[in-house]
Amino acid sequence: MFLKFSGECNEAWTSFGGSQYKICDTPTQKWIDAQKTCQNMGANLPKVETDAENTFLYNLQRNAKIQNTWMGMKRDENNLFYWFDGSSLNYTNWSPGQPDHWKGREHCAHIVISRNRKWNDVPCVWDGNAPRFICEVGMYPNLQIFA
């Protein structure tokens, strides 16, 4: 089932480094629902490739007063994270001790404001205060998600 686009995403796209980004201030408990909502707009969850891009996303999130946002990565069967398009992570910014795959159930990731731009691995179905998300379109528009 899709999370329907219902206007909770900022209407404006913001440019940075050849991509466009849109903030969606909608609590979204499932990573897949956030990714599908982005895809409905011709975008994907962000693929963070540089420290500058990570800082840009952190500032978008902080300025919108959003505590955490889903990222466009998942853990594979070999226990490695990869981007939604199947590519490996060439840049990372994990919090100390992360990713820890707590209780063997943390297969997705988010950017956390309280950890100063750092990443944390989390379950792909969130319990509690669900993350919001940012959509990105640019260098890889309209790619389909993996299963």
Side-chain angles (χ1 to χ4, degrees):
M1 181 172 173
F2 280 50
L3 174 71
K4 294 181 181 176
F5 177 66
S6 59
E8 290 90 352
C9 296
N10 181 335
E11 291 185 23
W13 289 89
T14 303
S15 297
F16 178 82
S19 290
Q20 301 284 319
Y21 301 85
K22 182 181 289 244
I23 298 172
C24 297
D25 190 6
T26 303
T28 307
Q29 291 190 293
K30 295 180 181 178
W31 180 93
I32 194 70
D33 289 342
Q35 175 67 344
K36 285 181 179 180
T37 299
C38 288
Q39 287 188 323
N40 286 341
M41 294 185 282
N44 289 285
L45 291 171
K47 178 180 176 181
V48 185
E49 299 182 278
T50 65
D51 190 58
E53 183 179 18
N54 192 65
T55 299
F56 169 78
L57 291 170
Y58 169 82
N59 287 331
L60 271 183
Q61 188 174 324
R62 185 187 64 196
N63 292 340
K65 296 178 175 45
I66 296 172
Q67 290 303 307
N68 51 63
T69 57
W70 290 113
M71 300 178 71
M73 69 169 80
K74 287 185 83 174
R75 189 185 304 269
D76 68 11
E77 63 278 352
N78 297 315
N79 209 28
L80 300 172
F81 275 96
Y82 62 103
W83 295 112
F84 64 85
D85 64 1
S87 63
S88 59
L89 281 63
N90 295 320
Y91 164 81
T92 63
N93 195 34
W94 295 107
S95 290
Q98 299 299 326
D100 64 356
H101 201 25
W102 187 71
K103 293 189 176 183
R105 43 174 276 192
E106 295 184 327
H107 298 282
C108 290
H110 66 154
I111 299 175
V112 187
I113 288 292
S114 64
R115 295 186 182 186
N116 193 25
R117 304 181 311 118
K118 301 292 184 182
W119 306 352
N120 181 43
D121 60 334
V122 293
C124 296
V125 177
W126 193 272
D127 293 328
N129 187 17
R132 278 49 172 178
F133 58 100
I134 297 171
C135 297
E136 177 182 9
V137 65
M139 297 165 69
Y140 44 83
N142 301 316
L143 285 178
Q144 295 301 308
I145 61 170
F146 36 62

